[in-house]
Amino acid sequence: MATGRLGVRDMLGALNAALGPGGPVWFKETHARHLRIRDFLAPRRALRARFGDEQVPEHVLHAVACLQGPGVAPVLCCAPTPAGLSLQLQRPVVFERVLGSVASYATPTRPASPGPRIVLHCPALRCSPGTLSLSQLRAVLVADHLARALRAQGMCVHLVPAVQDPHMSTFLQKLRVDWPTASERASIETLKSRVHAGFTSVHDGEKLPPGVLGRLCLKDLVEEQSHRAGYDPTVDNCLVTEDLLSLLAELQKAVQHWPEDSNPSLVSNFQFHKPPANQITYISAVSVLFLYKTVAPDAGEDSCMVVHVVSCEEEFQQQKLDLLWWKLDDQAPPRQKHLVCGPVKVAGVPSTLMTASEYYESRHTQVCKASALKHGGNLAQDPDWTEIFGVLSVATIKFEMLSTAPQSQLLLALADSSISTKGTRSGIFVMYNCARLATLFEGYKCSMEQGLYPTFPPVSSLDFSLLQDEGEWLLLFNSVLPFPDVLSQTAVLTCIAPGLHVTARTEMVCKFLVQLSMDFSSYYNRVHVLGEPRPHLFGQMFARLQLLKAVREVLHAGLAMLGIPPLSHI
């Protein structure tokens, strides 16, 4: 039997190639109603545009039906239908290929070439928790999630600034944000010596504010073609302070002195799956995929890109900092990009009246209250529940903040009703289903120890043709199989046109985990996985358990990308 990891992107690429020259036509089905009859579809209208009013040529149909290649699943049938060209895979074979190699689907694919070096800068982290706005908190969570996604794809990521405020460090630990700390500021003497010669003379009678060293004109840089695109044309002068030079010194140090270990423990926790050398990667032509860009290890500072993750309120000031860096440092990296996070609004409350710290405390109080209503008693005083409440609070906040595309406006509803396991869009719902999976496998373990069930047989001996329920294919085809592609797409920084701004799809993992949880919940509520202890039922039970093992591994890996540990009960 063929080996190697199957991939949705590989399958779509091969299907489109089989149709001959032209743009992409095929798409993967996701809805249960359509998956009852097909797995992929080439719509009739797209085929008509490709082949005219004539039918799809017989040799094309044959090429699709006999499709082979790295990452390509075996085809059962391909036939014209009123909707278009429908294709169904050999599902038992796909179940066997995927479930026989679960670990490779729960981990990212490491590119064959080393990734570029990226400095990820989040200026909001220079605030204190008591002054951090909700929009700035969103930027912090986006930066943390993006760093995990980039590192999981083999990138070298350096996080700036190192947090000096001990209160902010404690707050980040509560949020399970993995960010470096420092006890002292970077030296600014070199920059300070360079800056005096460039000061604009103070106008007669003008008095500079306290703490300001002088004024620098940035207009010339804005007007230069190389720096013009995306910068606000009203940027003119910059009042230079020691604090501002300290920010530049830390960025400068990050670029010039790259740490040897810039991929911390998150990457070492994964066992990377390396694709075959001849595997084709299909990439959208409109995207700048820093993910697969090859950079020589000794290429110097030009091989480093700086991404500033900022709230919309901070962007104008960050533009000044970019230009000031170029003004003062000839070795400043030519590639500085801004990932601008949209504003955060609170329903019924001016968002400016609520700080990030108050938001966390509000969600934590609601989680404790909801759990007390469900389980009774004052669980907040129980040490065993303290950790659980902390995880649930973080899950609630991160799914709220990260489930919307970062560049879009975010509206928060802070009512208690949003904290419930019954709502299907929340982090609580995802953690609830994580706990249900843990309970399921703990139930099997206890029953096995009691002698009701045999030990789990070798995966190679399982009969996956027994997986006939439509919910089982839905979990494999929509959750386990596409997960590596979800991880890789999360680590893509896209620049639609040359310029300052980039976008990222940091909402993908949250949305994926919510949909996975919905599909699992529907299946779990309908199918009794641990059936009666009768030998003739064991085959189907073990096949189902192996499928749910894969779902569990993917769910845990997705939560790890968010910095959220799995829970065994809530």
Side-chain angles (χ1 to χ4, degrees), residues 166-188:
H167 299 293
M168 176 59 84
S169 180
T170 300
F171 185 58
L172 294 180
Q173 289 173 12
K174 282 185 180 180
L175 291 171
R176 297 181 181 269
V177 169
D178 187 14
W179 207 270
T181 59
S183 57
E184 57 184 26
R185 301 169 69 172
S187 173
I188 65 171

Side-chain angles (χ1 to χ4, degrees), residues 77-128:
C77 60
C78 178
T81 68
L85 201 57
S86 294
L87 181 143
Q88 191 173 69
L89 302 177
Q90 297 181 29
R91 293 184 176 183
V93 177
V94 176
F95 271 119
E96 185 175 350
R97 289 273 298 274
V98 174
L99 299 182
S101 182
V102 169
S104 66
Y105 291 88
T107 56
T109 301
R110 189 169 191 170
S113 301
R117 302 183 303 171
I118 295 179
V119 172
L120 208 57
H121 173 226
C122 185
L125 285 165
R126 294 187 175 90
C127 300
S128 66

Side-chain angles (χ1 to χ4, degrees), residues 256-268:
Q256 295 174 349
H257 305 286
W258 201 263
E260 292 184 7
D261 181 16
S262 40
N263 288 357
S265 58
L266 176 67
V267 176
S268 61

Side-chain angles (χ1 to χ4, degrees), residues 54-76:
E54 300 179 6
Q55 292 184 342
V56 178
E58 192 65 32
H59 73 275
V60 171
L61 290 175
H62 179 74
V64 171
C66 300
L67 208 61
Q68 292 183 348
V72 176
V75 176
L76 175 64

Side-chain angles (χ1 to χ4, degrees), residues 400-557:
E400 282 181 330
M401 287 281 182
L402 295 174
S403 292
T404 302
Q407 60 270 21
S408 302
Q409 176 177 299
L410 176 62
L411 180 64
L412 296 179
L414 297 184
D416 287 354
S417 59
S418 61
I419 305 295
S420 170
T421 59
K422 296 181 179 179
T424 57
R425 299 290 177 182
S426 67
I428 294 282
F429 177 71
V430 173
M431 301 311 294
Y432 171 64
N433 284 285
C434 179
R436 293 172 88 184
L437 274 166
T439 301
L440 171 69
F441 284 99
E442 183 62 26
Y444 164 73
K445 180 182 176 183
C446 291
S447 297
M448 182 194 69
E449 292 171 349
Q450 294 171 12
L452 296 177
Y453 297 137
T455 57
F456 207 95
V459 176
S460 59
S461 69
L462 299 181
D463 182 3
F464 292 110
S465 65
L466 298 173
L467 297 178
Q468 297 288 334
D469 188 275
E470 67 178 36
E472 291 157 356
W473 181 247
L474 200 67
L475 285 169
L476 185 97
F477 196 59
N478 283 350
S479 299
V480 181
L481 185 61
F483 183 61
D485 289 337
V486 171
L487 291 183
S488 64
Q489 291 172 45
T490 304
V492 171
L493 297 172
T494 304
C495 188
I496 303 298
L500 175 65
H501 297 100
V502 293
T503 60
R505 303 191 65 186
T506 50
E507 78 281 4
M508 288 193 67
V509 170
C510 284
K511 288 185 173 181
F512 174 86
L513 293 179
V514 166
Q515 187 60 54
L516 179 154
S517 299
M518 292 173 63
D519 292 341
F520 166 71
S521 182
S522 175
Y523 175 73
Y524 190 77
N525 291 338
R526 186 168 42 81
V527 176
H528 192 194
V529 178
L530 297 180
E532 297 182 16
R534 298 181 181 179
H536 71 283
L537 299 176
F538 289 159
Q540 186 179 56
M541 182 189 75
F542 284 126
R544 286 173 169 170
L545 284 173
Q546 182 63 16
L547 169 62
L548 295 181
K549 276 186 180 180
V551 171
R552 181 185 62 180
E553 292 302 308
V554 165
L555 178 56
H556 288 188

Side-chain angles (χ1 to χ4, degrees), residues 99 170 189 199 203 225 305 352 362 469 537 570:
L99 299 182
T170 300
E189 295 309 312
F199 278 149
H203 298 297
Q225 183 63 36
M305 181 179 65
T352 54
S362 172
D469 188 275
L537 299 176
I570 61 173

